[in-house]
Amino acid sequence: MSDRRPKEYRDRPLGAALRELEVPEHRPSFEAELRRRLAAERRAARTRPSRVQRRRALRVAAVAAVAAAVAIVAVGIPRTEHSPPVGPEVAGAATIKAKIRSALASMRTLRGELVYGRTGGAGASP
Amino acid sequence: MTIVRHYDPGLRSLAFRLLRDPHRMDDALQEAYVKAFRSLPRFRGESRLGTWLYRIAYNACLDELGAARRVTPLPLESVAERPDPQMSVHDSVASRSDLAAALERLPVEERAAVLLVDAQGFAYRDAAEILDVPEGTVASRLSRARAQLRTALEDRAEGAGGR
């Protein structure tokens, strides 16, 4: 691999001539002005939250966001009364009674499936 | 303030030659010192304090000038590194004002390179860090700046000799 760094050269006579060029002094109020500005910066730095404080606040916010995401996934989207039913509809007792009554009245064959659950009790799908 | 006092003469020279106005020089250096004070806690010593401070001051000067920072670097192959040895700057300098005028005609990036390396003695690597360009770009800027300064001064010397 070739060395791509340029070879250093300093034009010393030109440098000496450039250094001889006059440079103005600062305006008389320069140092007082600078001291005033630096003092204001010091005051502002005291009231400004430090880097450590800013980092801590960011960490707390990140943990809170993760906790919220986990809670949403664990609990799931809350179901309401208006949520549409999922799967085959289970008929209530009143519906079954009404179907039986109408079947007996017309003497037609009554066909249905009786489902019995230990905790949920009996139900039927007409 | 000790740091300011130590580096101020060199920074004043650079800022004045870049901005060509003592009031703007003062304004740029005020900004530079305040910025340096503000970012001093973040200074990790990866570069030298002087280089770091010069970089802040150079950027403050560019802000003051409103100069575009994008430049097109020349390929290294096109850089003629050494000047004509027949020509001596001191011989050709008819007066300091001629050199100052020739310097003012240079683009600000080339002016900064020649001031940092030739006048203030920065290594190419440090100058590259201050100017935020590769070392090859510093070399090409130096080459162009030196050539133009010498041409300008040669013309002046010939004009004076022909009278």
Side-chain angles (χ1 to χ4, degrees), chain B residues 1-132:
Chain B
M1 289 306 276
T2 314
I3 297 171
V4 169
R5 282 200 194 96
H6 180 76
Y7 289 103
D8 190 66
L11 290 173
R12 209 155 19 96
S13 169
L14 177 72
F16 180 67
R17 295 285 157 226
L18 295 181
L19 300 169
R20 295 178 274 184
D21 180 278
H23 301 291
R24 295 177 82 188
M25 171 194 82
D26 278 352
D27 292 346
L29 288 183
Q30 284 270 344
E31 284 305 314
Y33 292 142
V34 170
K35 275 182 190 165
F37 177 81
R38 211 177 285 156
S39 41
L40 197 57
R42 292 195 296 276
F43 176 66
R44 293 179 199 159
E46 285 160 0
S47 55
R48 277 186 287 172
L49 184 65
T51 309
W52 175 76
L53 198 53
Y54 265 81
R55 182 170 176 164
I56 294 174
Y58 176 67
N59 284 331
C61 290
L62 288 186
D63 288 344
E64 183 69 30
L65 282 171
R69 295 176 193 202
R70 292 178 69 85
V71 289
T72 312
L74 279 182
L76 266 182
E77 290 73 16
S78 70
V79 178
E81 194 54 42
R82 291 178 184 275
D84 180 3
Q86 301 295 312
M87 178 86 181
S88 154
V89 169
H90 278 305
D91 291 347
S92 63
V93 175
S95 70
R96 287 176 190 175
S97 62
D98 290 328
L99 179 61
L103 191 65
E104 282 189 12
R105 285 195 294 273
L106 293 177
V108 70
E109 297 87 0
E110 292 176 12
R111 220 180 310 157
V114 80
L115 287 167
L116 287 171
V117 175
D118 286 338
Q120 305 218 11
F122 278 96
Y124 282 23
R125 198 179 72 175
D126 293 335
E129 203 178 318
I130 293 166
L131 304 174
D132 196 22

Side-chain angles (χ1 to χ4, degrees), chain A residues 15-92:
Chain A
L18 288 170
R19 280 193 299 276
E20 282 173 18
L21 295 176
E22 281 179 28
V23 177
E25 291 293 326
H26 287 302
R27 58 184 169 240
S29 62
F30 184 88
E31 193 169 325
E33 206 178 312
L34 182 61
R35 281 182 186 280
R36 209 169 35 245
R37 289 187 68 180
L38 294 182
E41 278 295 318
R42 251 180 239 120
R43 278 195 300 276
R46 274 199 290 270
T47 55
R48 217 179 285 145
S50 69
R51 282 179 91 191
V52 175
Q53 284 171 321
R54 280 200 303 269
R55 252 188 226 161
R56 197 173 295 156
L58 270 175
R59 214 175 292 150
V60 168
V63 168
V66 169
V70 167
I72 287 170
V73 170
V75 174
I77 299 163
R79 290 193 191 122
T80 64
E81 286 176 12
H82 307 292
S83 300
V86 180
E89 196 176 351
V90 177

Side-chain angles (χ1 to χ4, degrees), chain A residues 103-122:
Chain A
L104 288 173
S106 61
M107 294 301 284
R108 279 201 333 230
T109 311
L110 179 67
R111 199 179 288 160
E113 190 184 339
L114 185 66
V115 180
Y116 179 79
R118 249 182 218 183
T119 51

